[in-house]
Amino acid sequence: MKLNLNKPLVVFDLETTGLDLVKDRIIQISFIKVMPNGEEERGDYLINPECHILPVITELTGISDDDVKDKPTFKQVAKTLSDKFVGCDFAGFNSNHFDIPLLAEEFLRAGIDFDFSKCRLIDACNIFKKLERRNLASAYKFYCGHRMEDDFEAHRADQDTEATYRVLMGQLDYYTEEKQRQLGEDPEGRVLTNDMDCLAAFSKTNNNVDFAGRIVWAEAKDSHGNTIYDKDGNPVLVECFNFGKYKGRTVVDVLQHDPGYYSWIMGGDFTYNTKQVLTRIRMREI
């Protein structure tokens, strides 16, 4: 099935030095940029993380210090990637939880304010877990009819990117009303719409404002603790802190009554993205 796109979609995957959004770095980024007319552009970069790659990561990915010692740093390729990605939506496997947040961190460390809040983020892993609850290898076998180890080399970003792209297209082919009826399934709740807004909404699994979940969306309350609704009857959502002594308090209220809390976060061991989101809220209110 051809993706129904009204702007480019970047299907991507990262290999990294670890899973810490603050401390770890990208060592490989691979992507397929799919255009609305169906044309595809592929990119694959090995990245020098400017730190030692642990043996366990080398064993997992096949990427060693020697493989990246002469490769560009992320900062050196950041502008090129930003130019390629601007105006695009993004898709990956477990990307909303890890790849997008880490990519956002790397852009900010490189001095590039890439605003992912303007992008629709489609996570084939979340779609799969909601409908079948497996991992990428199982998803590939289920939707593509092959064993992933027969078609790809495991734990390489370029290989996983290709597999994720095929899984996403396979999901759209599989979760149609016609296909579900052929399988004898009730299609209610098991049909995916070939539309990036719908896929992004279905991929979303949390109410985070920042990627790390330090700030979340919550229903606004009046002075009596009752939910406030807009003119269409939907709850009004406001940004609230999700940790520490102000957990559950709105960000705006805390910034007004304890301005020093902003400075404490800006100087603390928080992700650049969290600091960026907090600063945007602060500037908006000013």
Side-chain angles (χ1 to χ4, degrees), residues 90 100 103-104 107 114-121 211:
F90 289 82
I100 287 290
L103 183 57
F107 273 131
F114 193 97
D115 190 358
F116 283 98
S117 69
K118 299 186 185 320
C119 309
R120 291 171 292 194
L121 306 177
F211 291 126

Side-chain angles (χ1 to χ4, degrees), residues 187-202:
E188 181 69 27
R190 291 182 60 85
V191 173
L192 285 177
T193 303
N194 190 355
D195 174 86
M196 297 304 109
D197 282 323
C198 295
L199 293 176
F202 197 79

